Amino acid sequence: MIGFHNRNKILSIHDENRICFTDAVEVKDSIVSYFQKIFGGSNSKMVLDSSMLSGALPRRLSHPQSMFLDTSITDEESQKTLFSLKDNKAPGPDGFSVGFFKKSWSIVGPETINAIRTSSLLADFSSR
């Protein structure tokens, strides 16, 4: 079992030639070398093959999960999310707290939902 102090340490690493390094200095040098090849300058290029990425990203979304994330946010979800927030947290850009919106929902609710629906942030997500 990995101890508390060791769980956030890189104990070994493989370089692009699949050579394994376990010495702390070699691990550090390998990491520095890797990023220097990627970001070191205009003439330094490193090609990543799919096998390197598949090991780093073993989990993928299933098709149903992907489709679920692509669905539009409903008005009910927006209201439920707003009402789940604590009343006196930091106010929004308009200076009003969440508590204001909750207490005056019958008056400001439809306009708030419309603002959420037409916000540029949600439009950016919807267009992906």
Side-chain angles (χ1 to χ4, degrees):
M1 182 169 175
I2 297 176
F4 175 75
H5 296 291
N6 288 330
R7 71 178 175 190
N8 291 327
K9 293 182 181 177
I10 299 173
L11 302 176
S12 67
I13 194 166
H14 289 85
D15 69 2
E16 65 270 9
N17 298 316
R18 306 280 191 238
I19 298 171
C20 181
F21 298 103
T22 57
D23 177 72
V25 173
E26 290 176 331
V27 168
K28 177 189 74 80
D29 290 344
S30 179
I31 292 169
V32 169
S33 173
Y34 173 81
F35 285 103
Q36 282 177 336
K37 288 177 185 173
I38 295 174
F39 303 115
S42 60
N43 60 355
S44 64
K45 295 178 182 170
M46 181 175 181
V47 177
L48 295 176
D49 64 23
S50 61
S51 66
M52 292 174 75
L53 292 176
S54 65
L57 307 169
R59 296 184 180 161
R60 311 264 174 166
L61 291 177
S62 67
H63 182 69
Q65 290 170 325
S66 178
M67 295 301 293
F68 173 75
L69 291 174
D70 282 339
T71 59
S72 297
I73 298 169
T74 66
D75 295 350
E76 293 77 22
E77 288 173 318
S78 296
Q79 181 181 356
K80 184 178 177 181
T81 300
L82 183 103
F83 276 71
S84 73
L85 302 173
K86 294 187 179 183
D87 288 351
N88 295 319
K89 290 298 180 180
D94 55 9
F96 294 109
S97 68
V98 171
F100 164 80
F101 287 98
K102 287 180 182 179
K103 289 180 178 133
S104 59
W105 189 255
S106 62
I107 300 166
V108 301
E111 287 297 321
T112 303
I113 292 294
N114 188 47
I116 292 169
R117 193 181 310 120
T118 60
S119 78
S120 61
L121 178 63
L122 289 181
D124 288 346
F125 282 114
S126 297
S127 66
R128 291 180 185 176

